[in-house]
């Protein structure tokens, strides 16, 4: 559509009535566009311009800004968004995902999109009809690189074994419509001069997120990895330091012995036998407390050097 230069016939502002008509047309053709999306594409307090060309193509844009939509036949029935509009609202259209960035060379070189160049999702080919407007994206890059209309339905495509032309491209990144804007730009660093790859910023963000998740998981499973033997030895030596009063040590030992003395263990008690009235079953919290005291006592009385064998605690 915009492979060759076109002669401009007229340039003027859009009237209030025509502006409302244009917004209704866009809303009908692109139901995914919300009211905030519409305000982003066609700001309420900014003039909308209309450029008419000799071949009947009409381009609608923001005055002093970027072209947002174009009508291929001037009748209002074939209105497409520009890549500038799709970069503002990436999900305005459904999109075909290319098999890789290298395939984008052909699309932005002016070729139509063929089915062999499309990456089919695991759930299968999406449903579409002939003549629908779809965008084209590169894996790892949210910004579309082209827009066009489907040449056949998904049912016909499956019957054709996914061969042939999928999308007739009407506008793409680096064509004359994109280039005609004085302030033309690219949405991210993945857009190069003759090819489009994944957005490095999105890729690094995903890697950072994955790294954070891995670090969190490792931290939760290995929370003691940061404690070395010297720190453990120092803490044990501190417990064995002569600066700790003997009375405190003796009191701790007496508490442990008293707690253990209150524990009554019965051997092979069957379901029919009853527990003695003076037997008080220990709760989980009580047992944890006793085990903690036993561990501290064992470390205090037996540990001399680290690392120590696990059998020391048994």
């Amino acid at each position: 559509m915009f492979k060759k230069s076109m002669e401009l016939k007229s340039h003027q502002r859009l009237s209030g009535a025509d502006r409302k008509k244009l917004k209704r047309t866009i809303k009908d053709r692109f139901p995914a566009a919300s009211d905030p999306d519409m305000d982003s594409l066609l700001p309420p307090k900014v003039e909308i311009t209309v450029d008419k060309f000799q071949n009947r193509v009409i381009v609608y844009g923001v005055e002093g800004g970027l072209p947002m939509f174009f009508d291929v036949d001037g009748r209002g029935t074939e209105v497409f968004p520009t890549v500038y509009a799709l970069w503002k609202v990436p999900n305005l259209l459904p999109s075909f995902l290319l098999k890789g960035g290298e395939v984008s060379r052909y699309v932005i070189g002016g070729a139509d999109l063929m089915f062999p160049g499309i990456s089919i999702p695991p759930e299968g080919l999406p449903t579409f009809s002939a003549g629908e407007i779809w965008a084209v994206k590169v894996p790892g890059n949210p910004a579309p690189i082209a827009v066009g209309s489907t040449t056949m339905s998904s049912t016909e495509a499956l019957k054709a074994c996914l061969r042939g032309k999928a999308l007739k491209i009407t506008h793409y990144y680096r064509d004359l419509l994109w280039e005609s804007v004085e302030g033309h730009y690219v949405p991210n660093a993945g857009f190069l001069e003759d090819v489009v790859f994944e957005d490095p910023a999105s890729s690094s963000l995903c890697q950072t997120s994955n790294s954070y998740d891995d670090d969190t998981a490792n931290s939760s499973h290995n929370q003691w990895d940061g404690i070395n033997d010297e720190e453990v030895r120092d803490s044990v030596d501190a417990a064995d330091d002569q600066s700790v009063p003997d009375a405190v040590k003796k009191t701790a030992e007496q508490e442990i012995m008293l707690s253990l003395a209150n524990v009554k263990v019965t051997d092979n008690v069957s379901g029919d036998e009853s527990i003695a009235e003076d037997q008080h079953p220990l709760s989980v919290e009580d047992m944890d407390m006793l085990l903690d005291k036993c561990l501290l006592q064992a470390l205090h009385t037996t540990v001399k050097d680290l690392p120590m064998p696990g059998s020391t605690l048994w």
Side-chain angles (χ1 to χ4, degrees):
M1 178 64 65
F2 298 99
K3 296 179 182 179
K4 299 179 181 180
S5 60
M6 300 181 298
E7 184 180 353
L8 181 63
K9 183 178 179 180
S10 65
H11 173 82
Q12 60 189 25
R13 289 180 175 178
L14 204 62
S15 65
D18 289 339
R19 181 186 182 119
K20 292 180 180 179
K21 182 180 178 181
L22 175 63
K23 293 189 72 171
R24 286 196 302 268
T25 300
I26 293 173
K27 192 67 177 177
D28 291 340
R29 286 186 64 80
F30 312 116
S34 62
D35 290 337
D37 292 338
M38 293 297 299
D39 291 341
S40 174
L41 298 173
L42 301 174
K45 297 183 179 181
V46 178
E47 293 291 340
I48 303 300
T49 61
V50 52
D51 292 337
K52 296 182 179 181
F53 294 87
Q54 290 289 353
N55 59 355
R56 295 185 177 181
V57 173
I58 298 177
V59 178
Y60 300 96
V62 177
E63 187 172 46
L66 304 169
M68 289 297 166
F69 297 93
F70 62 94
D71 187 346
V72 297
D73 60 5
R75 299 177 182 176
T77 57
E78 295 291 332
V79 178
F80 291 78
T82 66
V83 290
Y84 294 113
L86 293 175
W87 293 344
K88 281 182 173 290
V89 186
N91 296 322
L92 182 65
L93 295 175
S95 59
F96 289 116
L97 190 67
L98 300 181
K99 286 186 175 179
E102 288 296 333
V103 183
S104 67
R105 293 183 185 274
Y106 303 99
V107 176
I108 66 177
D112 291 328
L113 178 62
M114 311 300 286
F115 277 110
I118 297 175
S119 176
I120 306 300
E123 59 271 18
L125 186 70
T127 303
F128 54 85
S129 302
E132 288 186 5
I133 302 177
W134 281 61
V136 181
K137 291 183 179 180
V138 170
N141 200 317
I145 66 170
V147 62
S149 57
T150 54
T151 61
M152 64 180 77
S153 67
S154 54
T155 302
E156 294 170 332
L158 293 174
K159 289 181 179 179
C161 299
L162 297 179
R163 296 183 180 277
K165 186 182 299 184
L167 203 66
K168 179 177 176 57
I169 302 297
T170 55
H171 165 54
Y172 53 90
Y173 159 63
R174 295 202 69 83
D175 69 1
L176 291 179
L177 178 58
W178 172 86
E179 197 175 49
S180 65
V181 181
E182 184 176 351
H184 59 259
Y185 70 98
V186 294
N188 56 62
F191 280 68
L192 305 180
E193 185 174 352
D194 59 347
V195 68
V196 179
F197 292 113
E198 65 177 352
D199 179 13
S202 299
S203 177
S204 61
L205 183 62
C206 291
Q207 291 177 358
T208 302
S209 177
N210 292 336
S211 176
Y212 174 78
D213 293 340
D214 293 341
D215 291 343
T216 303
N218 291 335
S219 175
S220 63
H221 287 88
N222 303 297
Q223 57 180 332
W224 296 105
D225 287 351
I227 303 177
N228 55 35
D229 291 344
E230 291 295 332
E231 292 174 337
V232 175
R233 183 180 292 108
D234 291 342
S235 63
V236 174
D237 290 343
D240 196 35
D241 197 336
Q242 295 299 326
S243 62
V244 180
D246 293 338
V248 175
K249 296 180 182 179
K250 187 173 182 180
T251 301
E253 294 175 1
Q254 290 176 350
E255 288 181 356
I256 295 173
M257 297 305 296
L258 181 61
S259 299
L260 293 176
N262 291 331
V263 179
K264 296 183 179 181
V265 181
T266 57
D267 296 332
N268 299 327
V269 179
S270 64
D272 296 334
E273 295 177 347
S274 61
I275 301 175
E277 293 182 357
D278 59 345
Q279 176 70 37
H280 300 287
L282 293 175
S283 65
V284 176
E285 291 78 9
D286 293 336
M287 184 60 71
D288 288 342
M289 180 185 67
L290 291 175
L291 290 174
D292 288 342
K293 289 183 178 180
C294 289
L295 176 61
L296 292 175
Q297 178 66 12
L299 292 174
H300 173 67
T301 57
T302 62
V303 174
K304 301 300 181 183
D305 296 315
L306 291 176
M308 66 178 182
S311 59
T312 304
L313 302 177
W314 297 94

